[in-house]
Amino acid sequence: MGLINLLTSNPTAFVIIAAALVLSLTIHEFAHAWTADRLGDPTPRRYGRVTLNPGKHLDPLGTLLLLLVGFGFAKPVPINPMNLGRWGTLWVSAAGPISNLLIALVSALLLKIVPPSDLTLTVLLTVLTVNVVLAIFNLIPIPLLDGSRILGALVPSLGRSLAQFEAMPFSFLLVMGFIFLAQEPIGQLIGTVRGWVLGFVGFV
């Protein structure tokens, strides 16, 4: 279900979830760009991506899909693997999901120490959930996702095959079609991990 349905049924939830997504996607893409920049690749800085400005990271089509169908994407950060090498590419790919896990960890800690109220509880649980979902989803080894690039860095022959696939004209549409068809098992995986995390912090 897309977020747009919440706009009339529960505007407060819409604002909280939308804000959490903007924050989390921005930090996710910034983490990729910052890590590449620190490791010696000037490409993200050249494209203005080493910034926390959401406008530089949000993709219009990806945002629209998020509103309408419940899953979308941000603008991928351009990098040059030749400047990074195998392990640099791995760290750049892992930086996004790691940033989401760190946000989730901070949210979980705040849930333990911040005086409880309905609003703070809702905001922190939403931020925690959104970031767990983003981290787990992006770590799935599907082409174009961070998980496939991490796997490609660990297994160079596979990485070359994945890079060739991603260079195909219709690779994006094929991946989006696969995600759409596989949304039930993907949702079950994410739901299981989300339930485990919420149980761990004492909210299930």
Side-chain angles (χ1 to χ4, degrees):
M1 181 180 68
L3 286 179
I4 199 71
N5 296 309
L6 287 175
L7 192 54
T8 53
S9 63
N10 192 338
T12 301
F14 173 85
V15 170
I16 292 172
I17 296 172
L21 282 167
V22 169
L23 168 73
S24 306
L25 288 170
T26 297
I27 292 177
H28 178 105
E29 298 303 332
F30 168 77
H32 287 310
W34 182 85
T35 304
D37 187 65
R38 295 289 294 177
L39 292 177
D41 181 12
T43 310
R45 186 170 293 277
R46 189 180 307 131
Y47 283 87
R49 300 299 298 275
V50 189
T51 176
L52 287 170
N53 177 4
K56 294 290 187 178
H57 299 295
L58 298 182
D59 183 274
L61 176 59
T63 303
L64 181 62
L65 287 173
L66 195 60
L67 289 170
L68 295 178
V69 300
F71 72 89
F73 52 90
K75 293 178 185 175
V77 172
I79 63 169
N80 185 349
M82 298 296 292
N83 293 329
L84 295 166
R86 176 184 174 187
W87 300 113
T89 300
L90 185 150
W91 281 111
V92 170
S93 301
I98 288 173
S99 72
N100 294 128
L101 291 174
L102 289 175
I103 296 172
L105 177 61
V106 170
S107 301
L109 291 174
L110 289 175
L111 282 167
K112 295 292 188 182
I113 62 176
V114 171
S117 73
D118 289 343
L119 181 60
T120 56
L121 184 63
T122 300
V123 169
L124 290 173
L125 278 175
T126 300
V127 173
L128 172 62
T129 299
V130 163
N131 280 278
V132 168
V133 169
L134 285 175
I136 299 305
F137 178 73
N138 278 282
L139 286 172
I140 298 173
I142 298 172
L144 301 178
L145 297 184
D146 297 326
S148 72
R149 289 168 181 167
I150 294 170
L151 184 60
L154 292 171
V155 185
S157 59
L158 179 59
R160 289 190 289 271
S161 297
L162 288 169
Q164 290 173 354
F165 172 81
E166 292 183 7
M168 291 171 55
F170 300 106
S171 60
F172 172 77
L173 293 177
L174 290 172
V175 171
M176 291 300 290
F178 174 80
I179 292 172
F180 179 77
L181 293 173
Q183 58 183 313
E184 185 174 346
I186 291 174
Q188 290 175 348
L189 170 64
I190 293 173
T192 298
V193 176
R194 173 185 175 276
W196 179 83
V197 171
L198 292 178
F200 181 76
V201 298
F203 285 92
V204 172

